[in-house]
Amino acid sequence: MTLEAVNRSNKDALVGHVKFHYLDAAGKEVGDCSTTLTGGFSGKGHAPVVTRESSARVESTAFFMPNDAKTLRVVIHRVEFVDGTAWEPSQ
């Protein structure tokens, strides 16, 4: 699947830790899967998944998606930045 990642921070986001929640036609959750969103890898190392103050299309596999899933809700659990800092949503 293709997701659009938006980075409103002033730092390049290296990795995004997310959870996919699979919903049926009525909006009931029928499964979930945690995954990591990353940028490409080259001889220079890992590229950011999305650079500062921009957006990017990110490809991801929908692991364990049930056949009756019709929509997807993505919840961000942690973002790691290229400078070693991280963001997590407040509880």
Side-chain angles (χ1 to χ4, degrees):
M1 74 178 68
T2 303
L3 305 170
E4 182 170 355
V6 177
N7 180 355
R8 292 189 174 97
S9 77
N10 62 353
K11 304 175 186 182
D12 293 347
L14 188 62
V15 178
H17 300 275
V18 301
K19 189 169 197 176
F20 294 158
H21 295 268
Y22 304 115
L23 310 175
D24 66 12
K28 179 182 173 190
E29 186 169 322
V30 293
D32 62 46
C33 178
S34 294
T35 192
T36 303
L37 305 175
T38 59
F41 184 78
S42 70
K44 295 180 180 181
H46 288 281
V49 66
V50 62
T51 56
R52 68 191 75 193
E53 300 173 354
S54 68
S55 63
R57 293 189 182 274
V58 180
E59 298 291 326
S60 181
T61 302
F63 293 106
F64 312 111
M65 186 169 80
N67 291 334
D68 54 346
K70 300 297 180 197
T71 59
L72 173 73
R73 181 170 42 105
V74 180
V75 177
I76 303 168
H77 290 279
R78 181 179 171 87
V79 177
E80 298 170 11
F81 297 98
V82 295
D83 67 356
T85 61
W87 173 87
E88 294 179 359
S90 55
Q91 301 295 337

